[in-house]
Amino acid sequence: MVKHIFVTGGVVSSLGKGLTSAAIGLILERRGLTVSLQKLDPYINVDPGTMSPFQHGEVYVTDDGAETDLDLGHYERYTHAKLTQSSNFTTGKIYSTVIAKERRGDYLGRTVQVIPHITDAIKEAIHEGAAEGADVAITEIGGTVGDIESLPFLEAVRQFALERPKGDVLFLHVTLLPYLRASGELKTKPTQQSVGKLREIGIQPDILVCRTEQPMTQEMAQKISMFCNVRPEAVVEERDVAYSIYEVPVDLCRLGLDKLVVAHLGFESDTETDLDDWSLMLAELKSVEKTCEIAVVGKYIQLHDAYKSIYESLAHAGYANRCKVKLRKISAEDVLVKGTEILAGVDGVLVPGGFGERGIEGKIQAIRWAREQDLPFFGICLGMQCAVIEYARHELGLEGAHTLEHSPHSPHPVISLMADQREIDQKGGTMRLGAYDCELDPGTRIHELYGCTRISERHRHRFEFNNDYRDQFAASTMVLSGRNPGRDLVEIIEIPEHPFFIGVQFHPEFKSRPLNPHPIFKGFVGAALAHANGNNPAPVCETVL
Ligand code: GLN
């Protein structure tokens, strides 16, 4: 029978609960256990798909087309857990199912209430999220303990634990020890109060993970233990990492969290957690000397979380190329205002996905500059669409070429609405979402990068390359090198005579892993590094992974 870990958060949001949950998942896998991971989000949107990245950060997409919280990206990067539509539930999604049942008459005669109907639906969602065959299901509860919105979730997990044999459920609370610089001390009171809130609801945490920027002393752990009713050895420090988020699982194991968790759940605790490759990666990351600089030209560059998976994928590709990838985050609008000079000195340009008109022309200018300067370019989703528009306007002479998304009366809609999107009037969950196959043309750059001719990648878009312009592109130096076999949609464009110019309609960033970087990111960073070395004639670094 699957055992459960519930991860809650206290004091403030953005504590890194998602990372901690993912790190625990990795640790358990490295002890031979199978894990599944799930996030419960207390907000009322049915999913984050309709939210602005400024509100929510990136929307992470699963193979089966769920638009989910970005923490699921951490789960997939750290573990082998297979994430699905059941891996992320929000208050909105839970209420939708309960209200649909009520309308159907499933509760005839009864008053539908938060307890038991909503809490029952949450418990069902937890069962659904625990993948078949998993030894441990980790469920992270979004928000902060004390929020009104998270109460039904906490009540549901309290009931859930009561219905399970003792020892089958572990409550882990991630909390903050704020550091007061003026007095030079860490404070435990907020942690005491947030654990107090949890205990009021009826949840006694078994383990406390204390986020801190300064070391937590033994004395402090004792104090927290006494006030929070948690054994002293189960008060574990999680200090800010120095250079990589991939340090977290190694740090937590060093402090014995692995043994605490498995002992609590009744698994073998005498063996060591095998994190050798992970530790080697960290040691090597520390020692890299070479650097290349990539400009990410986007609309939401002020917020690191908005392009989380892209930044992570670049870091993975940096590791694969044994170099550090320096990011130059550039607002697409600034390219228009300040000119392409703001890109001077970078070794590659990446234009990510996006929605809305703001910044489009800046992206197009940045792409033109990269194309004309022979600078490595990588366009993702909207980034690929912009590359098609740029090429149509400046190489094919199609004046006014545009996407129908922003220019419904364009004389040359080289990017148009997909046929099956035309009748859709609901915004939520209606894009082309999830994994689709793509066939690659043999002998192309993309084929060389993947090393095969059939791939599967995840999508999230409504618009596509307009096949009416196919012949004009086919007669040019731009190659349409990948297509969806069923619907003949163009998924990849490239310019073979350019050092590296690739645009993809899908989101490869969702499939890159630290020890298994995505081939396009790896090739792109490799090309950027070659560019960096060309400017500074050092030997070209070999790609080692
Ligand atoms: N807005 C574009 C579309 O819907 C691109 C989407 C994206 O970049 N994810 O097709």
Side-chain angles (χ1 to χ4, degrees), residues 203-223:
I203 295 175
Q204 169 61 56
D206 302 296
I207 296 177
L208 288 179
V209 170
C210 302
R211 295 280 295 106
T212 165
E213 54 176 286
Q214 297 291 329
M216 176 182 74
T217 60
Q218 220 28 53
E219 217 185 343
M220 197 161 279
Q222 286 286 354
K223 184 173 171 188

Side-chain angles (χ1 to χ4, degrees), residues 353-355 380-382 385 405 431 460-463 507:
F355 298 83
I380 295 176
C381 207
L382 182 64
Q385 296 175 356
E405 185 175 8
M431 281 187 256
R460 182 171 184 253
H461 61 113
R462 291 187 203 280
F463 293 81
H507 289 272

Side-chain angles (χ1 to χ4, degrees), residues 260-520:
L260 274 173
V261 170
V262 290
H264 183 98
L265 294 176
F267 294 110
E268 160 78 78
S269 60
D270 292 343
T271 51
E272 290 301 312
T273 306
D274 180 4
L275 286 174
D276 288 353
D277 51 355
W278 209 262
S279 301
L280 181 68
M281 168 180 77
L282 293 169
E284 285 179 347
L285 270 180
K286 268 188 195 166
S287 64
V288 294
E289 284 167 4
K290 298 190 178 74
T291 303
C292 65
E293 187 172 2
I294 305 282
V296 176
V297 183
K299 189 172 155 189
Y300 314 105
I301 44 103
Q302 303 88 327
L303 184 72
H304 191 80
D305 277 356
Y307 302 120
K308 187 89 191 158
S309 294
I310 288 182
Y311 296 144
E312 287 306 309
S313 303
L314 287 171
H316 305 160
Y319 176 57
N321 284 284
R322 294 296 185 268
C323 74
K324 189 170 161 37
V325 177
K326 214 173 135 199
L327 297 173
R328 193 184 299 181
K329 299 176 182 176
I330 291 188
S331 156
E333 286 167 299
D334 278 355
V335 180
L336 267 198
V337 181
K338 301 179 183 160
T340 46
E341 296 84 77
I342 58 171
L343 296 165
V346 299
D347 303 303
V349 172
L350 187 151
V351 178
F355 298 83
E357 198 171 0
R358 185 167 66 77
I360 287 274
E361 292 303 324
K363 290 177 188 173
I364 291 172
Q365 276 200 21
I367 296 168
R368 180 180 194 177
W369 185 78
R371 185 174 59 77
E372 292 179 349
Q373 303 290 315
D374 274 349
L375 200 72
F377 165 76
F378 184 14
I380 295 176
C381 207
L382 182 64
M384 173 249 189
Q385 296 175 356
C386 288
V388 169
I389 296 167
E390 187 281 313
Y391 195 82
R393 285 186 192 171
H394 305 121
E395 286 296 311
L396 302 184
L398 302 175
E399 211 179 304
H402 219 309
T403 161
L404 277 188
E405 185 175 8
H406 306 306
S407 179
H409 306 296
S410 165
H412 295 295
V414 287
I415 303 296
S416 59
L417 193 60
M418 282 184 277
D420 54 2
Q421 288 285 331
R422 292 189 190 137
E423 305 305 318
I424 290 176
D425 53 8
Q426 289 234 18
K427 289 265 187 280
T430 55
M431 281 187 256
R432 181 179 182 226
L433 291 166
Y436 288 92
D437 279 359
C438 176
E439 266 167 11
L440 311 180
D441 283 352
T444 55
R445 169 74 59 85
I446 201 79
H447 173 221
E448 187 193 319
L449 290 172
Y450 276 95
C452 58
T453 53
R454 188 137 181 152
I455 58 164
S456 167
E457 292 282 2
R458 299 179 193 173
H459 294 250
R460 182 171 184 253
H461 61 113
R462 291 187 203 280
F463 293 81
E464 57 160 336
F465 179 93
N466 184 346
N467 276 336
D468 292 348
Y469 289 89
R470 208 154 173 161
D471 290 347
Q472 288 182 68
F473 277 87
S476 75
T477 58
M478 184 173 269
V479 172
L480 313 176
S481 51
R483 271 167 312 279
N484 172 262
R487 296 176 50 191
D488 202 27
L489 301 172
V490 172
E491 312 272 37
I492 305 169
I493 55 117
E494 60 179 82
I495 301 179
E497 61 193 36
H498 189 282
F500 191 101
F501 194 101
I502 291 182
V504 294
Q505 185 57 77
F506 46 80
H507 289 272
E509 70 271 25
F510 297 144
K511 291 181 80 169
S512 185
R513 308 285 178 261
L515 292 169
N516 189 13
H518 192 284
I520 312 182

Side-chain angles (χ1 to χ4, degrees), residues 189-202:
K189 189 80 77 195
T191 293
Q192 294 174 37
Q193 287 178 344
S194 100
V195 173
K197 274 260 163 250
L198 261 186
R199 293 173 67 196
E200 251 171 48
I201 299 161

Side-chain angles (χ1 to χ4, degrees), residues 17 32 98 105 129 215 475-476:
K17 284 194 305 287
V98 172
S476 75

